[in-house]
Amino acid sequence: MRSPATDGTVSVQLARFVVDALRRSGVEPGRVARLPDLGPEVLGNDLARVSTASALAVWEQLTLAGPGTAIGALITDEAPIGTFGLWDYLITTGPSLRETLRQAVEYNAVIGDAAQEKLLVEEDGRTFNIRHATGSWGPDVVEAIDFFVLGLFLTRSRAATGRPLVPLRVSVTHGASGRHRQLTEFFGTTRIDFGAPYNSITFHDNDVRAPLPRAQPGLDRLLVRHAELTLAAARPALLWQDRFRMALDSAFREGAVSLEHVAQRLAVSPRTLQRRLGEHGTTWREEVESVRQEHALELLRTTDLPLRSVAARVGFSDVRALRRAVRRWEGRPPRDIRSTAGAGAGAGAGAGAGEPPATSWGTGPSPRACRP
């Protein structure tokens, strides 16, 4: 079940968990701590919805703590039932695991962004299979989220049945992880198929049809009704234009700036996105230029990247285009901005300078191909 009001957002319970997981990992939160919908007033409101862009920013940092991104599955062991609020009880309360898993899939918007997270149940009389796919984000983030979702269904199924349920098979579209042994221990099986056509977790039909030990007649129907009311009452913590800016910012950091990509992040069509921007007195081209300016100036002030690298990262064809833009924005050349910021002499040496380690903006395809 989807609610248009929750598209482009995730539950505050999910956001709280990944923020806490980041803190436990010891990774410096950096800009994540400054995101407007991850402050204590939002994370403390159980009806709030956090923008998917903010949640992805946390996932990006979290993957730094877990090489191979198996961390997505492993952290679900740190989430007891109740961590994800109502969704946890949808999946653990009912006559059988078959019914509660179907219920949890149908109401996945209670926990995640139903516009981006696709779930499908398949049955053939012998097996019960849940397939999952997520948005077209950075590969490490996608891998971590895919493992996280499969891990959630496993840990919640074990809690519902009260026994160490073992799946028949786990399939992922990603390559073999360097933490294969940990994944084998976590899922309880060596049947983990890497490089598969889709992500899935498969249970034996007998396991999902057995009565749940703590089932209470009628409680599952009450929880479904509560889920519908919760989705109807939920509201994004950020205004639409703020969510758009965060989605565009994320696209810049991934090197994937295009009208179509950002529209997909916001669960609207490109034409609808252009219309909404017009209603707010701006255009796609103006917004891209504004964020490009913000990113370029931040890179100049806070890194010693060569000018050619700064130009490429923010979508300019060459250093000359960057210099012209900086003069237009600031009325002075890039070297003066670096000098004022206290950057080392020669930081913008240009073509001959060596490349420092990549920053969090990423080095993906140039965003200069964005279309108005």
Side-chain angles (χ1 to χ4, degrees):
M1 178 180 176
R2 276 179 61 182
S3 168
T6 63
D7 284 353
T9 67
V10 302
S11 74
V12 74
Q13 291 86 3
L14 176 58
R16 263 199 309 253
F17 176 72
V18 291
V19 168
D20 287 344
L22 181 62
R23 290 184 182 129
R24 292 193 301 272
S25 74
V27 173
E28 173 57 44
R31 63 182 296 277
V32 167
R34 303 192 300 273
L35 293 174
D37 54 346
L38 291 179
E41 69 286 348
V42 174
L43 294 182
N45 179 0
D46 281 348
L47 285 180
R49 299 284 296 193
V50 172
S51 68
T52 302
S54 288
L56 289 172
V58 184
W59 274 110
E60 287 168 359
Q61 293 300 307
L62 193 56
T63 57
L64 297 176
T69 61
I71 190 172
L74 301 179
I75 61 174
T76 61
D77 258 345
E78 303 170 4
I81 295 301
T83 299
F84 303 108
L86 174 60
W87 190 82
D88 270 348
Y89 299 110
L90 283 172
I91 205 170
T92 55
T93 305
S96 71
L97 192 58
R98 176 180 180 271
E99 293 180 40
T100 61
L101 286 172
R102 282 187 164 278
Q103 211 162 252
V105 166
E106 182 179 356
Y107 288 91
N108 69 314
V110 170
I111 184 174
D113 183 353
Q116 300 291 344
E117 302 291 327
K118 308 302 179 185
L119 289 163
L120 175 67
V121 170
E122 297 174 316
E123 298 183 79
D124 62 8
R126 300 184 307 278
T127 62
F128 183 95
N129 187 53
I130 301 174
R131 290 171 57 167
H132 170 261
T134 191
S136 55
W137 304 313
D140 284 352
V141 172
V142 169
E143 184 174 349
I145 292 174
D146 285 337
F147 274 120
F148 175 73
V149 172
L150 299 181
L152 270 188
F153 278 110
L154 178 62
T155 55
R156 272 57 199 152
S157 296
R158 287 172 172 170
T161 58
R163 56 192 178 89
L165 197 63
V166 175
L168 291 175
R169 182 175 59 256
V170 175
S171 302
V172 290
T173 59
H174 314 284
S177 170
R179 302 176 78 175
H180 186 278
R181 182 180 60 80
Q182 286 177 289
L183 288 172
T184 297
E185 292 175 358
F186 173 80
F187 286 107
T189 178
T190 58
R191 296 195 63 184
I192 302 177
D193 302 330
F194 293 94
Y198 49 82
N199 307 295
S200 66
I201 185 166
T202 304
F203 298 104
H204 195 286
D205 190 64
N206 290 341
D207 286 330
V208 299
R209 289 184 181 274
L212 293 183
R214 291 186 293 274
Q216 298 183 44
L219 181 57
D220 55 325
R221 293 192 295 275
L222 289 176
L223 289 173
V224 165
R225 179 57 180 156
H226 186 32
E228 292 169 348
L229 293 173
T230 297
L231 289 173
R235 290 293 178 269
L238 295 181
L239 298 176
W240 181 86
Q241 56 266 45
D242 296 321
R243 291 163 57 202
F244 163 76
R245 266 304 185 98
M246 294 186 70
L248 181 56
D249 179 85
S250 293
F252 259 97
R253 287 186 287 108
E254 293 169 13
V257 179
S258 72
L259 178 64
E260 291 78 6
H261 180 79
V262 175
Q264 181 191 33
R265 281 281 184 93
L266 296 169
V268 298
S269 69
R271 179 172 293 185
T272 297
L273 175 54
Q274 288 178 312
R275 178 176 56 77
R276 294 290 299 272
L277 290 171
E279 291 170 355
H280 287 87
T282 184
T283 67
W284 168 255
R285 193 181 295 275
E286 289 172 349
E287 290 297 316
V288 169
E289 178 71 2
S290 175
V291 176
R292 178 179 287 130
Q293 174 182 349
E294 178 184 324
H295 285 192
L297 294 178
E298 180 169 352
L299 287 172
L300 289 172
R301 289 170 178 144
T302 63
T303 77
D304 60 355
L305 283 171
L307 290 187
R308 65 175 183 179
S309 296
V310 174
R313 290 188 179 214
V314 298
F316 288 115
S317 57
D318 54 38
V319 171
R320 287 179 299 175
L322 173 64
R323 287 195 178 106
R324 286 195 299 269
V326 172
R327 280 190 177 276
R328 185 171 70 251
W329 299 330
E330 297 288 301
R332 52 184 176 152
R335 66 174 178 271
D336 288 358
I337 292 174
R338 288 199 143 151
S339 176
T340 302
E355 294 285 344
T359 70
S360 61
W361 304 119
T363 56
S366 169
R368 60 178 172 272
C370 57
R371 291 177 287 279

